[in-house]
Amino acid sequence: RNSRRDGARVKAASPLRWQTTAAWLTLVCAVVVLFGVWPLTGLDLWMHLTVGRWIWAHGWVPSTDPFGYITEGQPFLAHSWLAEVVLYLAEQTAGTAGLMLLRFGLIGLALTAMLKTARLLKSPWPALMLLAPFVLGLMWSRLECRPQLFSSALLAVTLWLIISVHIGQRSWRWLWALPPLYAVWINVHAGWVQGVVLLVATTGALLLMEVRRRWLGLGATSQLPLWSMA
């Protein structure tokens, strides 16, 4: 009887496994189609490629406008100069395919970091699968080959790193990866401001948790050292 019951349970569970596998395959195919083979878009892509080509040819970042006829010689702020060089090198190396692979790699990194962060916070798989279409749709609506893709990836990686230290999966010494990460971020896109807001919000939350611990006598609920974050 027990063997029959076990066999019935296996047969009942097998459709669920097939459904899970089918759901993952569908999700992977959606990611590849939406972000891997979708045509390139971006109203200012040519501008970024031109700036990257100029920097690569001259060996420095322009401080005055070298492109415009009317604005030539006016102050020029290339706040995404490093991303523009990367875009230019990707286009020179592999053409349009290089830009598409770069876009897919950055979006794939962002999605992977987001998924890992959600799992660290113990989000159930069914909830993640139900939210996946909304997340992919939101990202697809802003699918442009622009330096902002670097900010999306770096913001997701930063949040994943902070959460992994917060729950004790990694040592607080991993926070030393943030200064070089932000040094790169500041030179690829102005979205680094979002990263600073994330750090300030996290540090403020740790401060409030420390105040609660001292006033109410509750134990520590985070492995993030307040001084290290500050």
Side-chain angles (χ1 to χ4, degrees):
R1 291 180 181 178
N2 291 335
S3 60
R4 291 179 180 177
R5 291 177 181 176
D6 294 339
R9 290 176 182 175
V10 171
K11 291 181 179 179
S14 57
L16 296 179
R17 294 173 183 171
W18 278 107
Q19 292 172 10
T20 302
T21 303
W24 274 110
L25 289 176
T26 304
L27 182 60
V28 171
C29 291
V31 171
V32 172
V33 171
L34 290 178
F35 307 119
V37 299
W38 198 260
L40 291 175
T41 57
L43 298 177
D44 54 0
L45 175 59
W46 299 114
M47 186 267 296
H48 292 302
L49 292 175
T50 301
V51 175
R53 181 182 61 187
W54 194 96
I55 295 173
W56 186 256
H58 292 80
W60 69 82
V61 181
S63 58
T64 58
D65 189 356
F67 309 110
Y69 176 75
I70 299 177
T71 59
E72 184 177 2
Q74 297 295 323
F76 182 79
L77 180 60
H79 55 75
S80 302
W81 71 270
L82 185 56
E84 290 163 343
V85 171
V86 173
L87 289 171
Y88 170 71
L89 293 178
E91 192 273 337
Q92 286 294 298
T93 302
T96 303
L99 293 175
M100 296 177 70
L101 288 174
L102 177 62
R103 181 186 64 181
F104 182 71
L106 291 173
I107 294 177
L109 177 60
L111 290 175
T112 302
M114 290 163 53
L115 180 61
K116 285 184 171 293
T117 301
R119 290 300 297 164
L120 288 175
L121 296 175
K122 301 186 184 305
S123 299
W125 284 115
L128 294 178
M129 297 300 292
L130 288 174
L131 289 174
F134 299 99
V135 175
L136 296 181
L138 180 62
M139 295 188 68
W140 181 77
S141 65
R142 297 180 56 84
L143 185 62
E144 293 184 288
C145 192
R146 303 178 60 194
Q148 68 182 21
L149 293 176
F150 290 88
S151 280
S152 299
L154 292 174
L155 183 63
V157 169
T158 301
L159 182 60
W160 164 75
L161 179 59
I162 291 176
I163 294 299
S164 64
V165 177
H166 161 69
I167 66 174
Q169 187 183 63
R170 283 174 174 78
S171 168
W172 66 269
R173 293 180 177 83
W174 278 83
L175 296 176
W176 284 109
L178 293 180
L181 185 146
Y182 273 72
V184 173
W185 196 350
I186 288 172
N187 290 281
V188 295
H189 189 245
W192 62 268
V193 176
Q194 302 174 26
V196 173
V197 172
L198 175 62
L199 290 182
V200 171
T202 303
T203 306
L206 290 175
L207 180 61
L208 292 176
M209 291 167 63
E210 181 65 18
V211 171
R212 184 186 67 175
R213 185 184 67 82
R214 293 188 179 185
W215 285 8
L216 301 180
L218 299 177
T221 56
S222 176
Q223 301 298 322
L224 275 170
L226 176 60
W227 177 249
S228 299
M229 280 299 298

